[in-house]
Each structure stands twice: as structure tokens, then as C-alpha cells.
Amino acid sequence: MNLPARLRNCAPLIFGLAAASLGVGALRAQTAARTSVPASADAFVDVTQRLGVNFQYRSSHTSKKYLLETMGAGVALFDYDNDGRLDLYLVNGAPLSDPTAKATVPQKTDSQYWNRLYRQKPDGTFEDVTERSGLEGVGYGTGRRRG
């Protein structure tokens, strides 16, 4: 596959996030130092922590099983700072009351529920720039669209 360089550099992380969101497991990928896993490896290797992506999707678990609880997180890859590298935006849930009153907007009551923006650095690792960018988010996130 002939991908632009900025996509090739993020491909291992993109595939890893997709695999994690499906519950498949960890990622087989190249590290930031470009040390690759042998092609014959039968297991994925989780490189998220090593690359600086410290995200855990948080969802509520109520007895009502609201539709929001059944949907997973969203992710967007875009160059938020115009440096030519793809950055990573991950959408997170929020706590729900059990039961939740109609027309109630869930609130991100704690930083563990924040959406996260990770800026890709020149070495291929990421830094969390959520707070300084003001993109913590509101409500219960289930997807991300960029147009």
C-alpha cells in the first residue's frame, strides 16, 4: 500500500487503537525507534504507553442499559497544529445516573472522562495537550467527525 509518509508513521497506532476498541488486544507495530517486531510474531504488542498515549475509555454501567452505554469511543486523526504530522483525538464517555432523567446531559465530572488530544512529536511519540488546547469535551462522547 502506498501511503503518504505522515500516514505510514501513524499506521501502527491507528491499527492498534482500532484493535483495542474492538477488544481484539494489543498492537503489533514499529516502535518510535523503528525497531520492528518480526513478521512471524503471532501476537500483537501494545505500544500505546511507550508512544505516550495514556487513554482509557470510560463508560457508565447502569441497570437501564441506555443506548449511550452500548456505543464505543470515537477517534479522529488530523493535524491540529499544522506541523505535517497526524495528531490523535480520542472521545470519551461520562458518568450516567441510574436512572437518568430525560433530557439530562451527562457531565464529565472528572479528568478520567475527558476526551484526549495527543500531539505527535517529531520522534513519533505523542504528548497529551488536552488541557492547553481546551478540548476536554462536554457530555457523553460516542464518536468524532471532522469536516
Side-chain angles (χ1 to χ4, degrees):
M1 186 180 325
N2 191 11
L3 294 172
R6 67 184 193 160
L7 287 177
R8 271 195 310 273
N9 293 340
C10 285
L13 184 60
I14 295 165
F15 292 124
L17 290 169
S21 70
L22 294 173
V24 171
L27 162 72
R28 175 175 40 172
Q30 292 181 339
T31 64
R34 300 290 184 239
T35 305
S36 63
V37 174
S40 63
D42 291 330
F44 290 104
V45 176
D46 185 349
V47 297
T48 53
Q49 296 291 318
R50 192 169 46 226
L51 293 178
V53 179
N54 302 305
F55 177 79
Q56 183 172 0
Y57 177 67
R58 302 284 182 179
S59 62
S60 289
H61 303 285
T62 68
S63 63
K64 299 289 184 185
K65 303 294 181 226
Y66 296 108
L67 185 59
L68 287 174
E69 297 173 84
T70 67
M71 298 181 193
V75 62
L77 298 165
F78 66 104
D79 186 4
Y80 106 96
D81 57 358
N82 296 314
D83 64 0
R85 292 181 295 276
L86 286 177
D87 303 305
L88 181 63
Y89 185 70
L90 299 160
V91 179
N92 212 344
L96 296 173
S97 300
D98 192 7
T100 299
K102 287 186 181 193
T104 299
V105 176
Q107 300 299 313
K108 294 185 182 294
T109 57
D110 187 291
S111 62
Q112 69 178 331
Y113 294 104
W114 286 0
N115 301 332
R116 294 287 171 179
L117 176 62
Y118 291 95
R119 178 186 161 272
Q120 187 179 168
K121 300 188 292 189
D123 65 0
T125 61
F126 292 82
E127 69 174 313
D128 187 340
V129 294
T130 306
E131 215 166 349
R132 94 173 150 210
S133 68
L135 294 175
E136 297 92 342
V138 295
Y140 199 108
T142 59
R144 181 70 195 136
R145 176 180 90 55
R146 183 171 177 324

